[in-house]
């Protein structure tokens, strides 16, 4: 079938369908016409998908039909039910599928940070190259701690949230390259390791952990999740398995959207901990415990609900109806 000729012949019907969908009110005749055009366009889409399932035309018709379906059926389901399904099924399933990659990335991150910290502690020349003794003492004795309290807690939490979201977005958006995510992680591991080494060189390593761990448990985990999601896209491109590369990228990309939405909330929680708990006058053990409980809650959520959702066949992808695998005609 010649797709260009097919499109030229049927485009008037598709444009008429678009025109009816855009109208706020339809007469009885127009509503009947909308249903007829919807069914006709559904047939057209089935024909196109039989020969070119990944074509631009196929995607465009799928979007047309989705808008038309909403026009004559209204909301697909109750909003609160959709929200509940997202948090109970889709999101934990998406997190669960990348759990091992998240753990591996975390282990590698900590290893690189530890190596840089050991290098700083055991190489006096490194500290000297980073600044004068006066500057280093000012950092470890004042600046490091003051960083968490020099701004109002609410604005600081927002700043942290924005900064971490930017790092996560880079890891996710450029994950398909297979390079950018690991590069971002390496840079951050280097910074954390050298800061720890600097604090340890002046016998302030305890202060480092007291101010890093409360929010660091969840904050770093969120970055690991983002990197894992991005690398999953890269691997879908390299090794799609029995799927075509287009199908693999589409499926993993849609699941990635679910992960990205979940990370917005995860980073919000870690930002609130960093803004309100880390610099608070609470005992050190309590601040660290709060941070660990948030971290533990994430993993319980992922492992318990995620395992259940994945065993039920969920992946974090959109439903078959939403992604256009089939079309409702009645």
């Amino acid at each position: 079938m010649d797709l260009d000729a097919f499109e030229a012949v049927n485009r008037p019907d598709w444009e008429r369908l678009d025109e009816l969908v855009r109208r706020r009110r339809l007469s009885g005749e127009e509503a009947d016409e909308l249903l007829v055009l919807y069914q006709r366009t559904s047939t057209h889409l089935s024909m196109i998908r039989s020969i070119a399932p990944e074509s631009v035309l196929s995607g465009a018709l799928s979007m047309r039909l989705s808008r038309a379906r909403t026009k004559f059926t209204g909301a697909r389901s109750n909003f609160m039910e959709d929200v509940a399904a997202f948090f109970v099924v889709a999101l934990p399933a998406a997190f669960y599928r990348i759990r091992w990659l998240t753990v591996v990335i975390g282990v590698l991150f900590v290893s690189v940070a530890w190596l840089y910290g050991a290098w700083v502690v055991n190489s006096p020349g490194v500290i000297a190259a980073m600044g004068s003794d006066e500057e280093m003492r000012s950092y470890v004795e004042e600046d490091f701690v003051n960083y968490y309290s020099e701004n109002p807690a609410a604005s600081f939490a927002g700043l942290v949230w924005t900064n971490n979201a930017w790092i996560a977005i880079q890891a996710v958006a450029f994950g398909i390259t297979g390079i950018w995510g690991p590069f971002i992680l390496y840079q951050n591991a280097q910074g954390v390791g050298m800061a720890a080494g600097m604090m340890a060189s002046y016998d302030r390593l305890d202060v480092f952990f007291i101010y890093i761990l409360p929010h660091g448990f969840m904050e770093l985990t969120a970055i690991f999740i983002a990197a894992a999601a991005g690398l999953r896209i890269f691997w879908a491109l390299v090794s799609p398995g029995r799927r075509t590369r287009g199908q693999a990228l589409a499926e993993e990309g849609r699941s990635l959207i679910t992960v990205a939405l979940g990370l917005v909330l995860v980073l919000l929680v870690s930002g609130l901990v960093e803004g309100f708990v880390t610099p608070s006058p609470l005992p050190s053990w309590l601040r660290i415990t709060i941070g660990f409980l948030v971290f533990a809650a994430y993993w319980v959520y992922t492992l318990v609900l995620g395992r259940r959702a994945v065993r039920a066949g969920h992946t974090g992808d959109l439903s078959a109806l939403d992604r256009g695998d089939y079309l409702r005609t009645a």
Side-chain angles (χ1 to χ4, degrees):
M1 181 172 66
D2 187 331
L3 287 181
D4 291 335
F6 185 84
E7 180 178 1
V9 170
N10 294 290
R11 178 165 290 280
D13 284 342
W14 303 340
E15 291 177 347
R16 176 58 177 169
L17 178 64
D18 289 341
E19 179 184 346
L20 292 173
V21 168
R22 286 194 295 267
R23 293 186 180 180
R24 295 188 60 184
R25 295 179 182 275
L26 297 175
S27 66
E29 290 183 358
E30 289 172 335
D32 290 340
E33 184 184 5
L34 174 66
L35 290 174
V36 169
L37 290 174
Y38 174 83
Q39 293 176 333
R40 186 179 301 166
T41 305
S42 296
T43 302
H44 295 162
L45 178 60
S46 297
M47 295 171 65
I48 293 171
R49 281 186 168 173
S50 67
I51 60 171
E54 303 297 329
S55 66
V56 174
L57 182 57
S58 174
L61 284 185
S62 181
M63 289 297 297
R64 275 192 169 95
L65 289 168
S66 177
R67 290 193 293 267
R69 181 170 59 248
T70 301
K71 180 70 174 181
F72 64 76
T73 64
R76 183 174 56 84
S77 61
N78 181 274
F79 173 74
M80 295 308 297
E81 290 179 356
D82 287 342
V83 171
F86 176 80
F87 286 107
V88 177
V89 177
L91 183 58
F95 282 157
Y96 186 80
R97 291 179 66 228
I98 57 175
R99 66 195 185 284
W100 287 118
L101 187 53
T102 300
V103 171
V104 169
I105 289 173
V107 170
L108 291 175
F109 183 96
V110 172
S111 299
V112 171
W114 184 86
L115 288 172
Y116 268 103
W119 176 56
V120 171
V121 171
N122 296 301
S123 304
V126 175
I127 289 290
M130 295 172 70
S132 66
D133 182 68
E134 182 180 350
E135 291 172 334
M136 294 300 98
R137 288 190 179 278
S138 175
Y139 174 81
V140 301
E141 294 175 3
E142 298 178 13
D143 297 345
F144 182 82
V145 173
N146 291 341
Y147 166 76
Y148 296 98
S149 57
E150 60 187 3
N151 293 305
S155 62
F156 181 62
L159 178 64
V160 168
W161 184 23
T162 304
N163 178 67
N164 291 334
W166 172 238
I167 296 174
I169 287 171
Q170 291 182 71
V172 169
F174 300 108
I176 194 171
T177 65
I179 298 174
W180 193 253
F183 174 69
I184 291 293
L185 287 169
Y186 175 79
Q187 280 191 320
N188 280 271
Q190 181 187 48
V192 170
M194 295 190 72
M198 189 188 310
M199 297 292 286
S201 297
Y202 287 86
D203 296 322
R204 303 279 286 179
L205 188 59
D206 58 333
V207 175
F208 174 82
F209 285 118
I210 287 171
Y211 280 85
I212 286 292
L213 290 181
H215 62 274
F217 281 123
M218 197 64 252
E219 179 178 284
L220 291 175
T221 299
I223 302 303
F224 303 157
I225 295 167
L231 289 175
R232 183 94 183 198
I233 294 290
F234 168 71
W235 192 247
L237 179 66
V238 173
S239 180
R242 295 182 179 180
R243 303 169 294 181
T244 65
R245 280 187 169 79
Q247 290 173 332
L249 287 172
E251 291 174 8
E252 297 300 337
R254 289 190 298 263
S255 297
L256 176 60
I257 293 173
T258 301
V259 172
L261 291 174
L263 283 178
V264 171
L265 298 177
V266 171
L267 289 170
L268 173 60
V269 172
S270 67
L272 291 174
V273 172
E274 186 167 0
F276 291 93
V277 177
T278 297
S280 73
L282 293 172
S284 300
W285 66 268
L286 183 55
R287 282 183 280 164
I288 294 174
T289 299
I290 291 172
F292 180 78
L293 289 176
V294 172
F295 170 77
Y298 164 79
W299 280 108
V300 169
Y301 172 78
T302 296
L303 296 178
V304 175
L305 294 183
R307 181 185 292 112
R308 183 185 305 166
V310 169
R311 286 181 176 177
H314 299 282
T315 64
D317 195 356
L318 298 177
S319 68
L321 182 63
D322 287 334
R323 64 177 181 260
D325 284 357
Y326 69 85
L327 298 166
R328 183 168 54 196
T329 58

